[in-house]
Amino acid sequence: MAAADSSWFPALSLGVSLFKCLFISAYHSTDFEVHRNWLAITHSLPLDRWYHENSSEWTLDYPPLFAWFELALSQGARLLHPPMLLLSNLNYSSPEAVLYQRLTVICTDLLFLYAVRECCRCVQEQKGSRDVLNQPSFVLAVLLLWNFGLLIVDHIHFQYNGFLFGVLLLSMAKHMQSLHLQGALLFAVLLNLKHIFLYVAPAYGVYLLRSYCFTQDNSDGSVRWRSFSFLRLAALGGIVLSVCFLSFGPFILMGQLPQVLSRLFPFKRGLCHAYWAPNVWALYNGLDKTLTLLGVRLQLLQEAELPKASMTGGLVQEFQHTALPSVTPPVTLLCTVLSILPALVSLWRRPRSAQSFLRCLLLCSLGSFLFGWHVHEKAVLLAILPLSLLAVQNREDAGIFLLLSTTGHYSLFPLLFTCAELPIKVLLMLMFTLYSFSALRHLHRGPLLLPLETLYLGGLLPLSLCCDVLLPLSPWGARLPFLPLLATSLYCSLGIIYCFLRLYCSMLRGGAERPKQP
Amino acid sequence: MQTWSLVSLCVLLGLAVRWGVSLNSYSGAGKTPMFGDYEAQRHWQEVTYNLPVQEWYFNTTKNDLNYWGLDYPPLTAYHSLICAFVYNGVSLGFALWGVLALGLGWDALGSVAFCLALNYKQMELYHALPFFCYLLGKSVKLGLMGRGLFLLVRLALTVLVTFALCWLPFLSDPGQAMEVVRRIFPVARGLFEDKVANTWCSLNVLIKIRSILSSDSQMYLSFACTLLAVLPSCVRLLTKPTFWQFKLALANSSLAFFLFSYQVHEKSILLAALPACLLLNDLPLMAIWFLHASTFSMLPLFLKDGLLVPFVVTSLGFLYFSIYLLSALERCSEEELRLGAYHKLLFCLPKLDLAWIVRWKFYVSVSVMAGLSIAAVALAPPPHLPDLFPVLVSIASFSHFLGTFIYFNIVQFSEPPSRKSQKKNN
């Protein structure tokens, strides 16, 4: 390429934005109707009805700042295509409505593009290499901009993750540039946009306390207790509280806070989503099912005593386990906290460094993914995207990234189950996997995966063949429609748990081998 | 990054873009001609592997990135495939195999491939003359008394055998064969149909030829004009059978046929787009300009089939990325654009900076095409001129194609730049 060094970023961004436009008419999930309904709610109803409205099953369950965002979008809809804003127009998806909403996703992705550019700036360049394709910042830009998960979830399945992850990445970039107040502000905004980011709030809390409120370290890297700055703590608190007040304020004043919170945290939805996210509870469920079957076979359990519907019915409801003890929300909370506690402690005890923060954030998001209540499989993106930043700088992280991203992305396959989208998801998956493998191997000069890990990833191919081709066509296909999803879920959870453990090992092993970060 | 992974990525990206475009089809979930598309894409992969050794004399990294641009032209060419218009890709693919084989010096294989292409779609006759002249010229150059004659005989036999094999079921009864021929060449259908960007349709705006001349004289007129248009290029190729001349002759011949032939459809511009892609590396700006114009010429068709969004996306993408990756706007000095001959033609105006003029013409033309596209979508035509926009589009495209035709002819007749200056440009 004879182009200047900095012109590759606009080229990549334009390319991916144009590419996203091609999927405007592709399949979209019920999330499309969800957002259309929210546009209608925020536009047609007064503020005090927003969190009470339930004429549609897709009630408003994001924090108020997102509702304000939808209100802003609805103004555009009002000018272009008013019928989509009618509450009664359930499942309305005219071409204009689809075009408008898809374009809003593509346009709000501009924030994501900006955030990626900021992250690329924080990455150390390799000295002496003039080849643009081999620069860490270029590889990072491609891994983030063309991330398979985001393309599939945002631009086909339909969600606003790009924009939200943009805010997260921007916040992370600000912390890496030591602009902690800006980073905190962005994170507070993010929490008020989508509360799933509470998963990583502990990492932020500990890091900001450790690295911002305590202004100095001792020579051995431990915290200097005397350097605590109340002013800084007050500034942080002020920022967070004011953002929360801006967002929740009107509802607190109207006394609707309990209602809002009940909408935000619907614990009645069951331990697992309709499709089990590949986490620990999926394995637990699988074990429960196996033991139940065994128990029935060995006549330790009576079949008549078993609950009729099962968790594999594909519905979102609360159910009990049969052979193993049932899991309740407090239990999952405890497990999550226990899983991330060592990481938080390790972050506290380390000298201040943005890389440790990143690692802890990663572990918090993975820990919450693995042990959380009613986790969606899309939440794996919360781990894959930040890991990309580490992958381009560190050899070991690159290996873990390859494993996590391939497994995590594969676990998103069931989201697109229509025939027309099958080639797309296969092609995009191949593209991303091919690129990540070859670029990272070239960057770090050499193989990155152990033979066992390569074997595991290789197993995804026969798994996909079985699930997408063989099982549906076989005689069991009709009787056990959930079997492919179950198999995918269980297989992927093994990989993700393994990555979690490996990341933990690398964090706890300490920062001796890691390259110095600016 | 390694070559194979870059190329595979480009192929996958090309496939993904095409599938994305196909998701926009008019009838909801139209059948995508996957075989045809895949076949053509695989050919592009081969082209990027093999042709670099032959002609493109750049180092490997630059090479691969250049060919990312190459993945877009087939897409602009295959937009029309998505309107349930299947398997254009196969005949074009075979033709490309033919060109590739000739480029590598495998003449017999190239002939076989081209015969297959020809037997797949008779439109490939647009490319037939250059193939013929190139191979004939090559044989003559090798000496008609020795190896040349041997080559000629071998090629003739190959062609005959291939044709015989393809037409085997029909050869038993000459009447059947004639019927097939009559069906492939429907001479009763008139000089042109609908709005197509060639001479006759554009001329028809001023003079109603279709009503003035009888059907037979229309046929003779178009035959004569086509022959006249294609003759200079083919004769030049006969005398100088090099691969460079061959590529230019392919472009010239297909353009000549498109502009002057009988019963031409808009989609036939794909046959001219194929050689233009082969010229992307040598004459980037002109090739990109022509390819963009060829997609634009099919705009009325796209609008009819509801393919506005893919049209906009792929046109913008192609224009931006081909110019960016091939550095087309930087590589347009007078020498690189082979404008030397124009200087000689315009000898009365010696002080013109032709390169600057060409660049500005490019900008103006792209703006005009963009403006016409927007107008065609946003504005309603006046009631007494219901076909205003398709006609405007076809006239604008026609002027582009005519200009490109003249340009490629002039380039074919001018001397290729010396090796030294080529190395300097690399």
Side-chain angles (χ1 to χ4, degrees), chain B residues 212-235:
Chain B
I212 297 180
L213 298 172
S214 71
S215 154
D216 274 346
S217 17
Q218 283 172 18
M219 209 166 62
Y220 293 137
L221 177 65
S222 83
F223 181 71
C225 287
T226 316
L227 201 59
L228 274 173
V230 101
L231 217 51
S233 163
C234 291
V235 166

Side-chain angles (χ1 to χ4, degrees), chain A residues 35 37-51 60-77 85 100 104 108 160 163-164 188-194 242-254 256 260 264:
Chain A
H35 286 278
N37 191 37
W38 293 355
L39 282 177
I41 290 180
T42 52
H43 187 260
S44 330
L45 296 178
L47 199 61
D48 56 349
R49 297 289 313 155
W50 284 7
Y51 283 93
L60 191 55
D61 57 3
Y62 276 23
L65 211 54
F66 197 86
W68 293 114
F69 168 70
E70 292 274 8
L71 180 64
L73 288 181
S74 71
Q75 302 307 314
L85 295 174
Y100 178 69
T104 55
T108 50
Y160 285 92
F163 152 66
L164 295 168
V189 167
L190 185 63
L191 272 184
N192 282 287
L193 281 170
K194 192 168 179 180
S242 50
V243 171
C244 289
F245 185 72
L246 256 153
S247 157
F248 282 89
F251 299 94
I252 298 176
L253 291 173
M254 287 189 291
Q256 286 193 359
V260 174
L264 255 52

Side-chain angles (χ1 to χ4, degrees), chain A residues 299-341:
Chain A
Q299 296 180 339
L300 295 168
L301 292 169
Q302 296 298 344
E303 195 160 349
E305 289 171 16
L306 297 174
K308 274 295 155 209
S310 67
M311 261 180 238
T312 51
L315 300 170
V316 179
Q317 289 171 58
E318 262 194 285
F319 286 109
Q320 308 288 332
H321 288 98
T322 2
L324 297 170
S326 285
V327 177
T328 55
V331 171
T332 61
L333 186 62
L334 186 65
C335 291
T336 314
V337 168
L338 284 176
S339 69
I340 64 178
L341 209 52

Side-chain angles (χ1 to χ4, degrees), chain A residues 1-3 7-8 10-11 14-15 18-19 21-23 25-26 133 146 420-421 423-424 427 430-431 434-435 438 442, chain B residues 1-2 4-6 8-9 12-13 15-17 19-21 23-24 62 65 309-310 313 316-317 320-321 324-325 327:
Chain A
M1 248 189 306
S7 61
W8 53 262
L14 183 67
L18 287 175
F19 190 66
C21 291
L22 289 176
F23 300 114
S25 308
L133 292 189
W146 288 78
E421 276 67 28
I424 273 293
L427 284 170
L430 280 176
M431 269 167 61
L434 182 63
Y435 181 79
S438 50
H442 204 100
Chain B
M1 263 182 81
Q2 290 162 306
W4 71 265
S5 45
L6 252 182
S8 317
L9 270 173
L12 286 173
L13 181 65
L15 283 172
V17 171
W19 192 266
V21 173
L23 289 172
N24 285 282
K62 211 170 175 191
L65 298 172
V309 172
V313 168
L316 282 176
Y320 180 83
F321 283 101
Y324 176 69
L325 291 171
S327 317

Side-chain angles (χ1 to χ4, degrees), chain A residues 274-511:
Chain A
Y275 158 58
W276 298 350
N279 63 4
V280 166
W281 304 126
L283 287 179
Y284 191 81
N285 288 344
L287 190 62
D288 182 63
K289 279 254 154 287
T290 322
L291 289 176
T292 311
L293 280 170
L294 271 177
V296 168
R297 278 291 165 80
L298 298 173
Q299 296 180 339
L300 295 168
L301 292 169
Q302 296 298 344
E303 195 160 349
E305 289 171 16
L306 297 174
K308 274 295 155 209
S310 67
M311 261 180 238
T312 51
L315 300 170
V316 179
Q317 289 171 58
E318 262 194 285
F319 286 109
Q320 308 288 332
H321 288 98
T322 2
L324 297 170
S326 285
V327 177
T328 55
V331 171
T332 61
L333 186 62
L334 186 65
C335 291
T336 314
V337 168
L338 284 176
S339 69
I340 64 178
L341 209 52
L344 294 173
V345 168
S346 172
L347 179 64
W348 180 264
R349 292 174 54 180
R350 289 259 200 90
R352 62 194 60 233
S353 116
Q355 249 224 359
S356 326
F357 161 59
L358 216 57
R359 230 169 261 287
C360 184
L361 187 143
L362 213 48
L363 286 168
C364 286
S365 70
L366 264 181
S368 316
F369 178 81
L370 287 174
F371 294 100
W373 178 266
H374 201 83
V375 172
H376 284 249
E377 62 284 347
K378 305 176 206 114
V380 74
L381 289 175
L382 189 49
I384 294 178
L385 290 175
L387 187 52
S388 321
L389 274 124
L390 292 175
V392 297
Q393 299 182 83
N394 182 317
R395 196 194 170 77
E396 194 189 348
D397 291 328
I400 304 177
F401 172 79
L402 288 178
L403 200 55
L404 183 65
S405 67
T406 316
T407 315
H409 286 156
Y410 180 72
S411 72
L412 294 173
F413 263 36
L415 281 177
L416 297 184
F417 49 81
T418 47
C419 276
E421 276 67 28
L422 177 65
I424 273 293
K425 71 183 183 192
V426 168
L427 284 170
L428 288 179
M429 178 82 182
L430 280 176
M431 269 167 61
F432 186 80
T433 316
L434 182 63
Y435 181 79
S436 53
F437 271 81
S438 50
L440 286 174
R441 280 175 71 143
H442 204 100
L443 199 60
H444 295 289
R445 281 175 259 267
L448 297 167
L449 292 177
L450 302 171
L452 193 64
E453 294 166 351
T454 319
L455 195 66
Y456 172 80
L457 285 181
L460 285 175
L461 273 165
L463 178 72
S464 126
L465 212 62
C466 280
C467 292
D468 285 318
V469 180
L470 295 176
L471 268 176
L473 297 173
S474 76
W476 302 293
R479 271 201 304 145
L480 303 165
F482 195 69
L483 195 55
L485 298 180
L486 192 130
T488 311
S489 188
L490 293 177
Y491 193 84
C492 292
S493 56
L494 292 171
I496 297 181
I497 293 173
Y498 174 77
C499 290
F500 179 64
L501 293 172
R502 268 198 71 180
L503 277 169
Y504 238 120
C505 289
S506 79
M507 172 134 197
L508 296 175
R509 248 204 321 257

Side-chain angles (χ1 to χ4, degrees), chain B residues 146-377:
Chain B
R147 285 171 52 209
L149 187 62
F150 179 63
L151 178 65
L152 200 57
V153 167
R154 200 163 61 133
L155 290 174
L157 275 174
T158 322
V159 169
L160 285 170
V161 166
T162 320
F163 263 90
L165 281 172
C166 291
W167 285 66
L168 208 55
F170 306 103
L171 288 178
S172 50
D173 178 18
Q176 258 199 359
M178 274 314 295
E179 182 58 36
V180 178
V181 172
R182 234 176 278 129
R183 284 196 64 86
I184 338 180
F185 297 106
V187 290
R189 280 169 75 177
L191 200 51
F192 63 86
E193 228 173 74
D194 215 356
K195 307 284 168 296
V196 67
N198 76 352
T199 330
W200 308 126
C201 181
S202 309
L203 201 55
N204 203 48
V205 175
L206 300 167
I207 321 167
K208 303 283 172 215
I209 329 173
R210 275 199 293 195
S211 18
I212 297 180
L213 298 172
S214 71
S215 154
D216 274 346
S217 17
Q218 283 172 18
M219 209 166 62
Y220 293 137
L221 177 65
S222 83
F223 181 71
C225 287
T226 316
L227 201 59
L228 274 173
V230 101
L231 217 51
S233 163
C234 291
V235 166
R236 173 80 172 170
L237 178 62
L238 255 178
T239 55
K240 273 188 177 229
T242 64
F243 196 63
W244 167 244
Q245 291 282 334
F246 176 55
K247 285 192 290 188
L248 281 169
L250 277 173
N252 282 324
S253 162
S254 35
L255 268 172
F257 271 88
F258 181 85
L259 288 170
F260 297 104
S261 172
Y262 199 81
Q263 189 62 218
V264 173
H265 288 271
E266 305 117 314
K267 298 175 203 80
S268 312
I269 197 65
L270 303 184
L271 293 156
L274 185 71
C277 297
L278 297 172
L279 293 167
L280 263 177
N281 224 350
D282 303 281
L283 300 166
L285 186 63
M286 297 312 221
I288 293 171
W289 195 355
F290 172 68
L291 288 166
H292 189 74
S294 59
T295 323
F296 171 71
S297 72
M298 292 191 273
L299 177 63
L301 201 64
F302 297 145
L303 286 180
K304 205 162 44 146
D305 290 320
L307 289 172
L308 178 63
V309 172
F311 167 70
V312 169
V313 168
T314 47
S315 302
L316 282 176
F318 172 67
L319 207 55
Y320 180 83
F321 283 101
S322 50
I323 293 182
Y324 176 69
L325 291 171
L326 294 172
S327 317
L329 288 172
E330 280 113 51
R331 285 163 66 184
C332 55
S333 68
E334 267 192 32
E335 202 180 277
E336 279 162 325
L337 289 174
R338 317 286 168 89
L339 293 172
Y342 276 90
H343 263 306
K344 291 191 205 121
L345 283 177
L346 298 169
F347 55 87
C348 42
L349 308 157
K351 291 292 175 210
L352 289 176
D353 181 0
L354 286 175
W356 183 88
I357 291 182
V358 166
R359 257 210 307 275
W360 273 96
K361 273 170 70 178
F362 175 71
Y363 296 145
V364 168
S365 132
V366 170
S367 322
V368 165
M369 286 196 268
L372 264 178
S373 310
I374 296 174
V377 172

